[in-house]
Amino acid sequence: MKIGCVKEIKNNEYRVGLTPDNVRAYIAAGHHVYIEMGAGIGSGFTDNEYVDAGASLIDNAADVWHLVDMMVKVKEPLECEYPLFRNGLILYTYLHLAADKQQTDALLKGKVNAVAYETLQEKDRSLPLLAPMSQIAGRLSIQEGAKYLEKKFGGEGILLAGVPGTPKANVVILGGGTVGMNACKIAVGMGANVTILDISLKRLEELDNMFGAHIQTLVSNDSNVERVLKDADLVIGSVLIPGGSTPKLFKQKYLKEMKDGAVFVDVAIDQGGCGESSHVTTHDDPVYKLDGVVHYCVGNMPGAVPRTSTIALTNATVKYGLEIAAAGLEEACRKSEVIRSGVNTYAGKLTNRNVAAAHGYEFTELQELI
Ligand SMILES: NC(=O)C1=CN([C@@H]2O[C@H](COP(=O)(O)OP(=O)(O)OC[C@H]3O[C@@H](n4cnc5c(N)ncnc54)[C@H](O)[C@@H]3O)[C@@H](O)[C@H]2O)C=CC1
Ligand SMILES: CC(=O)C(=O)O
């Protein structure tokens, strides 16, 4: 199969879909790999490293899109890339379609066979291609939150750990999955008071076993969310319904009850965000203030640490990419329920139930199409 990788063009996105080591793995399996010149530079991989690994360098992105059977990316294609879509092209990347009707329509119209990293689910229900970036975003969320709590960035001017004789900051984490657990780890490490809410009692038990007396766990419901937000200094939004729109548990009316200069990092913004007042921001202009609360809603947080992120992401993606390349998408899907769970659009049909529900579109079982 012909595998391609282009330079990411989203705001401040320096990750890349394939590393030189990944290229070696695809070439060893008998595939051809085409890389846009400069694609890896933001993550510290030079063109020469790709050539040494066996890739062909192409000097513009459009030619890579035209040449290849499978495009391996990091982030969703932007509008200027939609004209490059074509019938039967396999697109292997993050898509977050529940929050992006325009892109969903473009993929359906272009009859692209799109495999979304964020919905590919293992039999144990884990999300192996989302998890590495969730680990990074979770850890970053506290780092960014601590920064925006500083006065000069609009925050209330409070140190997470405090010092002897002063209160510690109250960190509230909505959703205790991978992002939530990683945020918790850093917040506890920095000495904050941490409260974590989830709808899953089993997950709360796991978190309690992990962090013991260092955290407070609470079941997620409207009363508990409203109650803990009143005293919160830093709130992390990290809930997920895989493939679906994020439930809005952080209501706009709560903002007025919160501390002036509190910070809300809505990591779940890529799926629409868990705050009613959240809208997407970029690394160039990451925050806005509403009712005194600083909102940070960057949809590609791991792009800030591209070297770590690219290696972590591609450690996970290469395995399934090789499976698709070896068998072809149809056969790979017939053989593997796991690969099937990643396919969001196929031959102009929507094949992910939660994405279909988010847009009120017809859902088609992938097995009926392959
Ligand atoms: N902005 C960014 O750069 C990044 C965003 N993300 C996003 O972060 C979000 C969280 O991802 P993960 O932690 O990997 O998901 P996960 O599936 O590991 O965890 C989600 C948690 O939310 C809980 N949950 C669901 N509904 C809830 C509710 N009503 N109240 C409280 N908890 C609820 C689930 O029980 C689960 O424990 C996703 O939207 C993901 O796409 C991930 C990486 C980077
Ligand atoms: C998860 C995701 O969309 C990202 O890492 O950018």
Side-chain angles (χ1 to χ4, degrees), residues 172 174 195 197-199 218-231 239 246-255 257-258 274-276:
V172 170
L174 303 172
T195 303
L197 297 89
D198 203 290
I199 41 168
L218 283 177
V219 74
S220 174
N221 57 41
D222 286 349
S223 315
N224 277 341
V225 172
E226 182 170 12
R227 198 171 299 126
V228 293
L229 288 186
K230 284 179 185 157
D231 288 326
V239 306
T246 320
K248 305 280 181 205
L249 27 155
F250 188 138
K251 311 261 187 285
Q252 180 133 9
K253 65 181 182 191
Y254 301 158
L255 292 176
E257 302 169 1
M258 289 176 66
C274 64
E276 282 180 350

Side-chain angles (χ1 to χ4, degrees), residues 94-108:
Y94 286 119
L95 291 170
H96 301 290
L97 294 184
D100 193 344
K101 189 161 185 290
Q102 189 193 18
Q103 193 202 162
T104 307
D105 291 341
L107 291 168
L108 292 172

Side-chain angles (χ1 to χ4, degrees), residues 86-92 107 111-115 329-330 343 345-348:
R86 62 166 205 280
N87 190 354
L89 173 73
I90 304 168
L91 176 63
Y92 183 47
L107 291 168
K111 299 197 168 153
V112 173
N113 300 332
V115 185
L329 182 60
E330 291 72 14
V343 180
T345 64
Y346 184 87

Side-chain angles (χ1 to χ4, degrees), residues 292-363:
V293 175
V294 179
H295 290 58
Y296 175 102
C297 305
V298 176
N300 58 331
M301 293 175 67
V305 286
R307 180 79 184 180
T308 308
S309 297
T310 291
I311 294 170
L313 176 63
T314 59
N315 280 345
T317 53
V318 69
K319 168 175 181 271
Y320 304 95
L322 283 166
E323 272 181 52
I324 295 169
L329 182 60
E330 291 72 14
E331 187 52 25
C333 285
R334 275 183 224 113
K335 284 204 276 208
S336 161
E337 188 188 330
V338 177
I339 303 281
R340 260 198 323 271
S341 64
V343 180
N344 280 213
T345 64
Y346 184 87
K349 304 282 186 196
L350 207 42
T351 53
N352 180 286
R353 200 179 288 279
N354 285 339
V355 174
H359 299 309
Y361 283 0
E362 188 188 347
F363 162 72

Side-chain angles (χ1 to χ4, degrees), residues 42-83:
S43 292
F45 299 112
T46 63
D47 287 346
N48 282 343
E49 288 177 85
Y50 285 103
V51 172
D52 288 347
S56 304
L57 281 187
I58 306 282
D59 68 5
N60 76 87
D63 286 350
V64 183
W65 281 94
H66 289 313
L67 252 172
V68 301
D69 305 304
M70 175 160 76
M71 178 63 85
V72 184
K73 277 179 53 54
V74 178
K75 292 306 287 182
E76 73 282 357
L78 301 188
E79 202 177 337
C80 61
E81 293 172 307
Y82 297 169

Side-chain angles (χ1 to χ4, degrees), residues 81-237:
E81 293 172 307
Y82 297 169
L84 299 164
F85 289 174
R86 62 166 205 280
N87 190 354
L89 173 73
I90 304 168
L91 176 63
Y92 183 47
T93 193
Y94 286 119
L95 291 170
H96 301 290
L97 294 184
D100 193 344
K101 189 161 185 290
Q102 189 193 18
Q103 193 202 162
T104 307
D105 291 341
L107 291 168
L108 292 172
K109 188 165 166 244
K111 299 197 168 153
V112 173
N113 300 332
V115 185
Y117 293 163
E118 73 278 3
T119 67
L120 188 142
Q121 198 159 33
E122 276 291 350
K123 292 199 180 80
D124 64 359
R125 304 187 67 78
S126 63
L127 298 164
L129 305 186
L130 182 61
M133 295 305 95
S134 292
Q135 291 163 350
I136 288 176
R139 291 173 188 211
L140 266 178
S141 67
I142 300 297
Q143 192 170 309
E144 292 297 322
K147 178 168 98 193
Y148 287 102
L149 276 171
E150 290 178 25
K151 199 74 183 168
K152 79 164 184 163
F153 292 115
E156 56 181 289
I158 176 168
L159 185 65
L160 280 186
V163 290
T166 72
K168 296 166 184 293
N170 295 321
V171 174
V172 170
I173 301 174
L174 303 172
T178 309
V179 169
M181 192 268 277
N182 280 276
C184 188
K185 193 177 251 183
I186 301 300
V188 166
M190 286 175 84
N193 283 327
V194 182
T195 303
I196 187 156
L197 297 89
D198 203 290
I199 41 168
S200 161
L201 292 178
K202 182 166 178 287
R203 184 60 181 163
L204 292 178
E205 187 182 335
E206 286 166 3
L207 291 164
D208 184 78
N209 287 336
M210 273 180 231
F211 296 103
H214 295 290
I215 63 165
Q216 167 76 62
T217 59
L218 283 177
V219 74
S220 174
N221 57 41
D222 286 349
S223 315
N224 277 341
V225 172
E226 182 170 12
R227 198 171 299 126
V228 293
L229 288 186
K230 284 179 185 157
D231 288 326
D233 299 296
L234 171 59
V235 183
I236 308 299

